[in-house]
């Protein structure tokens, strides 16, 4: 690992923008290497980006503090236009606090729009790995064409994170993670890789679980290659929870204990993600739905579909349920619905990209049953949003989805019961990174006869790579052959184009 003497780094840290920085030097350190969890960046705008790290020399300690003493630590940071840090464009010192598990969220400002940068940290005599990041285009400009990858569902026990490494190999400009970054369940005997401990409930538990996941080198590579936009789904807290309602009573918790668990989960999520301070948890809630502008090319409406939803209809699961049609039911909550429609109506960019967690298009089986945890359990809510973007003349609505451990590509219809109804939008669903294990080569679309708007399905693990231009979005569904053998290659299973002003999928 690279290390830098304190004198060398401090000289660089106080240098004016563009000044030369002394080369890296070897240096002995009195404490173990604290950057075991790597580095990350996120939330880019035209002039700033969030830089993240967390000090943890022994990350898997049961107390969740990663081997750090009960004391705050000064952390230096640098941003450069080159990976050698020959000159600096931004630098400073931030405090990694014991109360926040020594996590660091630096808003590095004063950057140029539509530009690539490199960053690193120094603490306790050690230098972190180098990360690559970039800023968004300036307001009112399209900027360069850019590559955006998105992923979800990375159950640690189910396999290796090869898909994360393949995402890093693509060197995208932006990565979206749409939920289930961690899983909360206990260790499973005989699994390929085992969780540490029982089902996580306390803040120490959640911190250690994030540390276990973030210790994976493939995940670290994906974080270090590009800025991320993140939203959680259910497993960052507890499977299939809805607002303050639990899906089941295992483990048994009082109302106060469940509230404390949610609070701990949200705090640990913020501590471990490259989010802005405005997204920090406030007790038992966390403000995560937000808009991120990518110049005039794209705007990302990032949704939270867990924290404000009504409870799943008819007790959850796949079933026929009349209550799913009730107008009073909302998946994102009425306030977030209004926020989303207000943003869509502003016509902020060429492409309106909705990053969210659960299956959006209708999917009924032959009996008429559907998934009550997905938008099919909140049909009036979905109809309000779809009709809302039609009423507002949204030119290019594109919904990105995680959760279901399979790849899908769907046309969104004004009336799903009418096969000749207009296509009014497009949904791309990423498969899991590992959840569900290796999967199969199956590409037969489930329930295709009752859902002709569902156009593609694959049961492989992987991610989706998109190239976004003013004229079209190209989506490559990328799959890895195995997650139980590390290092498999990724192949493109299917590609689609979505053309400007023409919602719906075009095979390419």
């Amino acid at each position: 690992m690279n290390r830098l003497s304190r004198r060398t780094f401090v000289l660089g840290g106080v240098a004016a923008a563009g000044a030369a920085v002394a080369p890296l030097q070897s240096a002995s350190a009195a404490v173990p290497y604290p950057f075991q969890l790597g580095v990350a960046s996120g939330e880019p705008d035209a002039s700033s980006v969030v830089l993240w790290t967390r000090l943890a020399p022994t990350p898997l300690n049961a107390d969740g503090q990663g081997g750090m003493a009960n004391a705050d630590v000064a952390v230096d940071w640098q941003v450069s236009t080159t990976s050698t840090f020959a000159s600096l464009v931004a630098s400073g010192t931030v405090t990694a606090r014991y109360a926040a598990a020594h996590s660091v969220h630096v808003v590095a400002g004063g950057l140029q729009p539509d530009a690539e940068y490199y960053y690193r940290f120094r603490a306790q005599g050690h230098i972190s790995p180098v990360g690559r990041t970039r800023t968004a285009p300036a307001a009112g400009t399209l900027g360069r064409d850019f590559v955006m990858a998105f992923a979800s569902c990375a159950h640690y026990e189910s396999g290796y994170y090869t898909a994360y490494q393949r995402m890093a190999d693509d060197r995208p400009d932006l990565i979206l993670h749409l939920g289930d970054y961690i899983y909360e369940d206990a260790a499973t005997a005989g699994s390929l890789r085992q969780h540490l401990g029982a089902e996580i409930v306390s803040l120490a538990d959640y911190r250690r679980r994030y540390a276990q996941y973030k210790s994976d080198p493939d995940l670290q590579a994906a974080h270090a290659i590009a800025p991320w936009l993140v939203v959680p789904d259910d497993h960052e807290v507890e499977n299939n929870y809805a607002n303050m309602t639990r899906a089941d009573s295992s483990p048994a918790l009082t109302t106060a204990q469940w509230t404390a668990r949610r609070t701990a989960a949200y705090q640990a999520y913020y501590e471990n993600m490259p989010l802005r301070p405005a997204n920090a948890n406030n007790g038992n809630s966390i403000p995560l739905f937000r808009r991120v502008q990518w110049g005039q090319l794209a705007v990302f409406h990032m949704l939270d579909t867990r924290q404000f939803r009504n409870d799943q209809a008819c007790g959850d699961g796949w079933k026929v349920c009349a209550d799913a049609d009730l107008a009073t039911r909302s998946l994102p909550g009425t306030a977030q619905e209004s926020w989303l429609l207000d943003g869509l109506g502003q016509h902020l960019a060429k492409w309106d990209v909705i990053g969210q967690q659960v299956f959006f298009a209708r999917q009924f089986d032959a009996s008429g049953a559907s998934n009550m945890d997905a938008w099919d359990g909140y049909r009036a809510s979905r109809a309000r949003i779809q009709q809302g973007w039609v009423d507002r003349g949204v030119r290019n609505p594109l919904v990105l989805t995680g959760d279901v451990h399979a790849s899908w590509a769907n046309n969104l219809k004004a009336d799903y019961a009418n096969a000749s109804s207009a296509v009014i939008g497009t949904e791309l669903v990423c498969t899991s990174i590992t959840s569900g294990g290796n999967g199969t080569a199956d590409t037969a679309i489930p329930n295709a006869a009752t859902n002709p708007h569902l156009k593609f399905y694959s049961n492989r693990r992987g991610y989706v790579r998109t190239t976004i231009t003013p004229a079209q979005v190209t989506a490559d569904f990328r799959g890895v052959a195995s997650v139980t053998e590390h290092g498999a290659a990724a192949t493109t299973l299917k590609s689609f184009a979505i053309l400007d002003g023409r919602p719906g999928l075009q095979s390419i």
Side-chain angles (χ1 to χ4, degrees), residues 276-344:
R276 291 181 181 267
N279 302 119
N281 70 298
N282 181 12
N284 191 38
S285 64
I286 185 168
L288 288 174
F289 65 87
R290 62 203 187 277
R291 264 183 281 279
V292 177
Q293 192 80 29
W294 198 266
Q296 203 170 10
L297 183 64
V299 58
F300 295 91
H301 310 266
M302 305 299 288
L303 301 191
D304 177 346
T305 60
R306 287 290 163 189
Q307 199 173 176
F308 309 106
R309 66 159 70 192
N310 293 102
D311 192 14
Q312 292 92 344
C314 296
D316 206 354
W318 273 74
K319 56 192 62 175
V320 177
C321 177
D323 285 356
D325 287 310
L326 292 175
T328 54
R329 295 180 50 72
S330 177
L331 194 148
T334 55
Q336 192 175 178
E337 279 188 27
S338 296
W339 169 87
L340 174 59
L341 292 175
D342 177 67
L344 291 171

Side-chain angles (χ1 to χ4, degrees), residues 2-14 21-35 38-39 51-56 68 72-79 85 88 90-96 102 104 106 119-131:
N2 290 325
R3 295 175 182 169
L4 188 65
S5 73
R6 177 165 181 80
R7 180 176 179 275
T8 299
F9 194 96
V10 171
L11 284 173
V14 299
V21 181
L24 294 178
Q25 300 175 2
S26 297
S28 60
V31 297
Y33 186 69
F35 296 107
V39 298
L51 310 178
W52 175 94
T53 194
R54 178 180 161 200
L55 308 182
M68 295 293 292
D72 297 343
V73 176
V75 179
D76 301 315
W77 58 272
Q78 294 179 331
V79 179
F85 293 82
L88 300 182
S91 61
T93 301
V94 66
T95 301
H102 294 96
V104 166
V106 173
Y119 63 95
R120 64 185 179 184
F121 299 90
R122 178 189 187 277
Q124 298 181 318
H126 294 283
I127 292 294
S128 75
V130 172

Side-chain angles (χ1 to χ4, degrees), residues 96-117:
R97 301 195 181 281
Y98 177 83
H102 294 96
S103 61
V104 166
H105 299 77
V106 173
V107 179
L111 307 180
Q112 293 299 307
D114 206 13
E116 181 176 277
Y117 292 100

Side-chain angles (χ1 to χ4, degrees), residues 33-398:
Y33 186 69
F35 296 107
Q36 301 287 351
L37 304 182
V39 298
S41 68
E43 302 297 308
D45 63 21
S47 63
S48 69
V49 68
V50 175
L51 310 178
W52 175 94
T53 194
R54 178 180 161 200
L55 308 182
T58 52
L60 304 185
N61 288 10
D63 65 359
Q65 289 293 347
M68 295 293 292
N70 186 356
D72 297 343
V73 176
V75 179
D76 301 315
W77 58 272
Q78 294 179 331
V79 179
S80 177
T81 56
T82 69
S83 59
T84 61
F85 293 82
S87 63
L88 300 182
V89 297
S91 61
T93 301
V94 66
T95 301
R97 301 195 181 281
Y98 177 83
H102 294 96
S103 61
V104 166
H105 299 77
V106 173
V107 179
L111 307 180
Q112 293 299 307
D114 206 13
E116 181 176 277
Y117 292 100
Y118 296 87
Y119 63 95
R120 64 185 179 184
F121 299 90
R122 178 189 187 277
Q124 298 181 318
H126 294 283
I127 292 294
S128 75
V130 172
R132 168 183 175 260
T133 192
R134 65 164 293 174
T135 52
T141 67
L142 291 168
R144 296 168 285 164
D145 297 348
F146 90 112
V147 175
M148 180 273 295
F150 66 99
S152 69
C153 302
H155 192 275
Y156 184 84
E157 293 194 329
S158 296
Y160 296 111
Y161 288 165
T162 301
Y164 280 139
Q165 180 61 59
R166 298 298 163 252
M167 290 170 62
D169 293 343
D170 289 341
R171 294 179 66 85
D173 301 298
L174 186 69
I175 292 173
L176 271 60
H177 199 285
L178 300 179
D180 296 344
Y181 185 98
I182 63 163
Y183 281 71
E184 81 285 10
D185 49 315
T188 303
S191 59
L192 182 68
R193 305 195 291 181
Q194 284 199 335
H195 282 153
L196 293 173
E199 182 166 335
I200 55 177
V201 174
S202 69
L203 179 58
D205 292 341
Y206 281 99
R207 285 169 167 172
R208 181 165 73 156
R209 185 62 54 86
Y210 277 102
Q212 184 174 22
Y213 277 54
K214 283 180 168 291
S215 296
D216 184 276
D218 293 332
L219 176 55
Q220 289 189 17
H223 270 302
I225 202 64
W228 285 40
L229 300 180
V230 299
V231 281
D233 192 16
D234 53 343
H235 288 288
E236 287 88 350
V237 181
E238 180 181 88
N239 181 47
N240 274 23
Y241 82 100
N243 199 327
M244 287 302 296
T245 302
R246 301 180 70 197
D248 57 42
S249 58
S250 177
L253 298 174
T254 66
T255 300
Q257 288 170 330
W258 162 237
T259 300
R261 181 184 189 178
R262 239 181 66 139
T263 300
Y266 292 158
Q267 179 174 338
Y269 186 79
Y270 175 75
E271 288 174 349
N272 285 280
M273 294 294 145
L275 290 161
R276 291 181 181 267
N279 302 119
N281 70 298
N282 181 12
N284 191 38
S285 64
I286 185 168
L288 288 174
F289 65 87
R290 62 203 187 277
R291 264 183 281 279
V292 177
Q293 192 80 29
W294 198 266
Q296 203 170 10
L297 183 64
V299 58
F300 295 91
H301 310 266
M302 305 299 288
L303 301 191
D304 177 346
T305 60
R306 287 290 163 189
Q307 199 173 176
F308 309 106
R309 66 159 70 192
N310 293 102
D311 192 14
Q312 292 92 344
C314 296
D316 206 354
W318 273 74
K319 56 192 62 175
V320 177
C321 177
D323 285 356
D325 287 310
L326 292 175
T328 54
R329 295 180 50 72
S330 177
L331 194 148
T334 55
Q336 192 175 178
E337 279 188 27
S338 296
W339 169 87
L340 174 59
L341 292 175
D342 177 67
L344 291 171
Q346 293 179 44
H347 304 283
L348 296 170
K350 176 78 72 172
W351 299 91
D352 280 283
V353 183
I354 300 171
Q356 58 95 47
Q357 295 81 355
V358 294
F359 207 85
F360 191 83
R362 192 197 78 168
Q363 186 187 181
F364 284 7
D365 68 15
S367 72
S370 56
N371 182 4
M372 295 298 101
D373 189 56
W375 288 85
D376 274 330
Y378 305 79
R379 294 168 202 150
S381 182
R382 177 177 61 202
R384 286 191 294 268
I385 290 170
Q386 289 196 167
Q387 189 60 47
W389 76 51
V390 170
D391 293 343
R392 288 159 177 78
V394 177
R395 184 175 178 85
N396 294 308
L398 176 60

